[in-house]
Amino acid sequence: SVMQTVGLTDVTVSYSRPGVKGREVWGKLVPYGKVWRAGADEATKITFSTEVMIEGKKLAAGTYSFFAIPGEKEWTLIFNKVADQWGAFEYNEAEDVLRVKVKPVANGFQEWLSYAFLKKSDNSTILELEWEKLKIPFEIKVNLD
């Protein structure tokens, strides 16, 4: 897991780390257009200690399972209120709390999937999923009051 405090908000990401292991990842191992658990084994979980803005959209404090629908030019990131799930096998779209669209960015090779926080300002950060030759960044903003 990784954790970052942004303003007065704690953000924690708990995930399992798949490896590339010589496989073709995007579009093959992880198909385009299908819900993916954004990690391995159990679905990735993200916890926010206070309300946040994800890519400009409000999300209440809480723990969410985090899924993605990869695409060649655009990804859909999904925050689902059923926090404890094994993979995406029982994923139910009706339980989604928030969906945002982001653009994948070319990156240097990364064997093991990881999440990293990039400090942007006192009240915001960029959280990046990095794996294979892509990174998927999205902005998290918090209220400082």
Side-chain angles (χ1 to χ4, degrees), residues 46 48 52-59 66-71 74-80 91 96-104 127 136-140:
I46 298 184
F48 304 100
V52 296
M53 299 289 281
I54 305 291
E55 289 291 312
K57 295 183 179 180
K58 194 179 291 189
L59 183 62
F66 179 67
F67 296 100
I69 301 173
E74 185 175 68
W75 284 43
T76 301
L77 305 182
I78 303 165
F79 298 84
N80 186 279
Y91 166 78
D96 291 353
V97 177
L98 178 66
R99 284 180 168 222
V100 296
K101 303 251 187 209
V102 297
K103 304 275 185 215
L127 178 57
I136 315 304
F138 63 95
E139 183 181 58
I140 301 169

Side-chain angles (χ1 to χ4, degrees), residues 24 27 45 52 54 56 59 88 98 106 109 115 130-131 145:
E24 190 174 339
K45 283 193 251 187
V52 296
I54 305 291
L59 183 62
L98 178 66
F109 182 77
Y115 285 85
E130 299 180 66
W131 194 31
D145 297 332

Side-chain angles (χ1 to χ4, degrees), residues 28-137:
K28 299 289 184 191
L29 179 65
V30 178
Y32 292 130
K34 295 194 178 197
V35 173
W36 172 55
R37 60 187 146 198
D41 302 328
E42 290 183 46
T44 296
K45 283 193 251 187
I46 298 184
T47 301
F48 304 100
S49 65
T50 69
E51 178 182 279
V52 296
M53 299 289 281
I54 305 291
E55 289 291 312
K57 295 183 179 180
K58 194 179 291 189
L59 183 62
T63 300
Y64 302 92
S65 53
F66 179 67
F67 296 100
I69 301 173
E72 289 185 63
K73 297 188 185 313
E74 185 175 68
W75 284 43
T76 301
L77 305 182
I78 303 165
F79 298 84
N80 186 279
K81 65 183 170 186
V82 180
D84 293 310
Q85 299 188 49
W86 180 260
F89 303 107
E90 295 181 10
Y91 166 78
N92 180 351
E93 185 175 344
E95 302 292 337
D96 291 353
V97 177
L98 178 66
R99 284 180 168 222
V100 296
K101 303 251 187 209
V102 297
K103 304 275 185 215
V105 178
N107 196 28
F109 182 77
Q110 175 96 14
E111 174 67 29
W112 299 99
L113 180 143
S114 69
Y115 285 85
F117 291 96
L118 305 176
K119 180 86 168 158
K120 190 170 178 197
S121 72
D122 289 345
N123 73 327
S124 69
T125 189
I126 300 293
L127 178 57
E128 291 183 336
L129 179 164
E130 299 180 66
W131 194 31
E132 201 248 6
K133 293 181 183 173
L134 285 182
K135 59 183 173 183
I136 315 304

